[in-house]
Structure formats: C-alpha cells, structure tokens
Amino acid sequence: QDLQLVTSLCRLFVAVFNEYAATSNGCTAKGADPIANRPPELAALESGVLEKLLFPVFSFAFMWSIGATSDQKSRGQFAIFAETLFDSLAPPKGGSVFDGYVDLKAGPKWKPWDEIIQPFTYKEDVSYFQLLVPNADTTRFSYILDKQIS
C-alpha cells in the first residue's frame, strides 16, 4: 500500500504539470476557457522559473496523495506534520496546505481555492436535486480529478 501512495504522488505531480490539459486550473474553475486559459508550456519556461515551481507542486502532490488518506479530524495534524517536514512550505494565508493550489501561471505561490470558485447561476428549469452550488470542496476535488484525467 505504501508503494501505491508513492505512485499516486508521482502521478499527481506529473498531472499538475500537464501542459496538454484543457485548462490551466481545471474545467470547473472560474475562467476555465480552453483557449484563453491554457496551461503554460513547460519548454517555454525559463529553467529558474521551472525550478521554483518544483517544490510547491511536489508538496501539493504530497498533500493530495499521501495526505488525502487522512480524515477530517487527522487532516489538521497531517498539515502540521507536512509544514514541519517541508521548511519552506507556504500555504495560503489563513489556511492549511489543503486550502490552496499552485497556479503555474502565477509562480510558485499557493493560492486559495476561493479564487477559482465558479460563480453560482440559478437555472429555473433544473430540478432542486440536480443543482450544484460551487464551493471550495467541489472546486478542489474537481481540480484534482481534472488534472488526473486530462
């Protein structure tokens, strides 16, 4: 099982850097335009910029692969453990490492999920049970799934 967690970590690490994904921050993110919001081309990045992105993306993949096995109660403890394990880990202000993502276009800083939550638009023709109100949870899980299947 430990090997499977490491495999998940590596796959998510590669998936976040996927320059062939449909959009930069996932298909459900605000501004998810496959033409205007393409992921950056890694070959076009300067080597210094790419090097600065490696650690934040690795720590993101670590949190959402190995840390994803924790439940809501132990997630806070795992976040504290990760922050002591990685000295320069800088989660979004006012949150933990589970409360943000790394925007490759903006550089190596973590950004909160709230920045890419799609605004809710009510449609009268949709059943109440089919409504999905975008929030931080739906955005983060959609982001991870979108990265994995792109």
Side-chain angles (χ1 to χ4, degrees):
Q1 184 176 2
D2 293 340
L3 183 59
Q4 194 61 33
L5 288 173
V6 174
T7 302
S8 296
L9 170 97
C10 294
R11 286 185 177 161
L12 184 55
F13 179 77
V14 169
V16 170
F17 279 117
N18 183 5
E19 60 188 293
Y20 302 108
T23 65
S24 184
N25 294 321
C27 60
T28 62
K30 180 170 46 175
D33 183 353
I35 296 170
N37 197 10
R38 299 281 310 152
E41 293 182 30
L42 297 179
L45 293 176
E46 296 177 20
S47 63
V49 173
L50 184 58
E51 287 176 23
K52 289 179 183 177
L53 288 170
L54 291 176
F55 176 74
V57 172
F58 175 81
S59 56
F60 176 84
F62 179 83
M63 297 309 298
W64 284 103
S65 57
I66 296 172
T69 61
S70 59
D71 60 7
Q72 191 65 28
K73 290 180 182 178
S74 59
R75 187 175 279 182
Q77 295 171 334
F78 187 82
I80 292 169
F81 164 73
E83 289 175 17
T84 58
L85 186 64
F86 302 121
D87 291 344
S88 60
L89 187 63
K93 291 182 180 180
S96 78
V97 287
F98 291 105
D99 296 325
Y101 69 103
V102 180
D103 186 352
L104 298 179
K105 287 186 167 189
K109 295 182 181 176
W110 287 62
K111 295 188 161 220
W113 293 112
D114 296 340
E115 289 187 8
I116 60 171
I117 294 176
Q118 193 73 269
F120 176 70
T121 42
Y122 177 72
K123 297 177 184 172
E124 290 185 26
D125 60 332
V126 176
S127 163
Y128 173 78
F129 298 104
Q130 293 176 326
L131 290 176
L132 178 64
V133 178
N135 59 37
D137 285 332
T138 59
T139 300
R140 76 179 66 152
F141 296 129
S142 296
Y143 175 91
I144 303 242
L145 283 172
D146 186 67
K147 290 293 184 183
Q148 292 286 2
I149 61 175
S150 291

